[in-house]
Amino acid sequence: MSVFRVALSGDFRKTDGSPTFPDFDLAPLMQAKHVEAVFLDNASPLEAEQLEDFDALILLAHRFDATSVPKSGRLAVIARFGVGYDTVDVPACTANDIALVITPDGVRRPVAVSIITFILALTGKLMVKDRLARSGPPGFAARGEHMGVGLVGKVLGSLGVGNIGAEMFRLAKPFDMNFIAHDPFADRKVAAELGIELVSLEELFRRSDILCVNCPLTPETHHIVNAERLALMKPTAYFINTARGPIVDQKALTRVLQERRIAGAGLDVFEVEPTDPDDPLLKLDNIIAAPHALCWTDQCFAGNGAADVRAVLDVMMGQVPRGVVNREVLERQGFKAKLAGFAKRFG
């Protein structure tokens, strides 16, 4: 029987050959029958020649664009480590009968927890109070000047009510807040079950005491958070983004924060990453910043890895994996033929 070959992008290994993320357990993949797993050399975007003889790719941060598609036509699935897929050319995948899979189950709870972390840190003035505690008696004397904000009755708003947004609202239930969201694709049944009022985009910005971004980066959402919409926010409101940096016009957000037109922001993502240490945004004392890693925990990475391995092995058995982004590929004859071939060989 032939071998099912799986490529892992080179950024899953450090230069010394050790794993970048040890919590990604590769044992189920390496020990599976008829599977050969190989680490690629580092390249971004990936080169087509690297992928000619592979059936599946598990992809971390390297880009996959139209030039990455192997001519052999053998590649059947790309399992992205995470939920963002702006680094992958989705139309190119579909046109070449390649399913793109993401890991919503792996990141749903960790990202939602990171949002709650920002909410509590911002409203509790955690960073300010940390500095006060470290400054001795003068800091303790000044603590009354930095009162936190209670959450009961406040309005928690979300731009997007997908996998992560819904989980955020579930976790926020005990805080007795009012929930609103804008999402033209929202599952109204889920929204009703969670007590979320669906509102217009402008109303979301006007009413939210805490506004969180929980939508993917697409051409439609690029800079959807702009100067005009930020100007609608309350001066007491907080803004949180753990999704993707380019969803926000960062220069506009910087101006709003500099001028204290909103209370503060929690940012795990930026328009350009890594960030420039001289970026004026990072000089502000009314933001809390994280390096696109606030949700990075042992459980998050174990979950992402397990989901990717499961998706790859499902395809090997001729089954449709969970988390397919380009659902239209499932109806293409070329992709169906690949699944049928795998089922016959390995199923």
Side-chain angles (χ1 to χ4, degrees):
M1 183 179 288
S2 57
V3 173
F4 186 85
R5 302 194 76 226
V6 181
L8 294 103
S9 57
D11 46 352
F12 277 112
R13 289 197 301 182
K14 298 178 182 178
T15 53
D16 63 3
S18 63
T20 306
F21 303 117
D23 294 303
F24 177 11
D25 183 8
L26 285 168
L29 183 68
M30 299 297 189
Q31 296 169 6
K33 290 183 178 180
H34 314 302
V35 171
E36 179 186 359
V38 178
F39 288 95
L40 302 177
D41 291 332
N42 279 298
S44 187
L46 293 175
E47 299 168 359
E49 293 76 11
Q50 295 178 282
L51 298 167
E52 288 295 342
D53 299 320
F54 288 98
D55 301 293
L57 166 67
I58 298 179
L59 181 66
L60 185 54
H62 288 165
R63 300 189 69 84
F64 182 98
D65 63 19
T67 67
S68 307
V69 178
K71 295 181 175 61
S72 65
R74 180 172 170 177
L75 189 66
V77 61
I78 297 174
R80 169 79 179 86
F81 195 88
V83 291
Y85 51 90
D86 46 292
T87 57
V88 179
D89 187 328
V90 181
C93 289
T94 303
N96 290 277
D97 303 317
I98 302 168
L100 171 62
V101 177
I102 57 176
T103 60
D105 292 339
V107 301
R108 180 182 64 248
R109 176 58 64 88
V111 176
V113 167
S114 72
I115 298 168
I116 299 298
T117 300
F118 270 140
I119 291 173
L120 297 178
L122 287 165
T123 60
K125 307 292 181 70
L126 179 63
M127 303 300 285
V128 173
K129 290 175 181 177
D130 175 83
R131 290 194 293 271
L132 293 177
R134 295 171 190 273
S135 62
F140 276 71
R143 60 190 176 180
E145 300 169 18
H146 300 280
M147 198 65 67
V149 177
L151 296 178
V152 175
K154 292 294 192 293
V155 177
L156 176 60
S158 180
L159 180 56
V161 195
N163 196 46
I164 293 169
E167 187 74 357
M168 176 197 75
F169 284 120
R170 291 187 189 98
L171 295 182
K173 274 283 187 184
F175 300 139
D176 293 324
M177 304 177 77
N178 297 313
F179 297 162
I180 66 173
H182 174 78
D183 187 338
F185 308 104
D187 184 325
R188 293 184 175 273
K189 182 179 179 183
V190 170
E193 289 172 350
L194 293 173
I196 304 166
E197 179 187 356
L198 296 175
V199 300
S200 69
L201 190 56
E202 287 68 27
E203 190 175 356
L204 176 73
F205 279 81
R206 284 196 189 96
R207 290 176 54 189
S208 295
D209 292 302
I210 301 167
L211 176 55
C212 307
V213 177
N214 288 306
C215 63
L217 174 61
T218 66
E220 292 73 28
T221 62
H222 181 269
H223 279 195
I224 193 172
V225 179
N226 57 22
E228 179 182 3
R229 294 187 176 111
L230 288 167
L232 300 174
M233 294 183 70
K234 303 173 186 179
T236 54
Y238 292 97
F239 178 81
I240 294 171
N241 188 10
T242 59
R244 284 293 186 270
I247 294 170
V248 180
D249 180 340
Q250 188 165 305
K251 289 183 179 179
L253 177 62
T254 300
R255 287 194 296 272
V256 167
L257 289 163
Q258 286 172 330
E259 296 167 9
R260 306 283 171 166
R261 287 190 276 133
I262 63 173
L267 305 171
D268 188 43
V269 289
F270 304 87
E271 280 209 75
V272 176
E273 296 177 4
T275 51
D276 180 347
D278 293 323
D279 191 313
L281 180 65
L282 300 180
K283 307 300 182 183
L284 301 175
D285 63 2
N286 55 347
I287 74 161
I288 301 176
H292 202 153
L294 191 58
C295 78
W296 286 21
T297 64
D298 52 350
Q299 293 177 353
C300 178
F301 278 69
N304 283 347
D308 276 344
V309 169
R310 186 164 54 248
V312 165
L313 295 181
D314 282 347
V315 170
M316 184 183 80
M317 300 301 290
Q319 301 169 3
V320 174
R322 294 187 64 184
V324 176
V325 172
N326 52 339
R327 301 290 299 179
E328 60 271 29
V329 79
L330 303 180
E331 301 305 319
R332 290 179 60 89
Q333 292 305 312
F335 181 74
K336 289 181 178 180
K338 290 179 181 179
L339 283 189
F342 294 143
K344 184 176 180 179
R345 289 155 54 197
F346 306 110

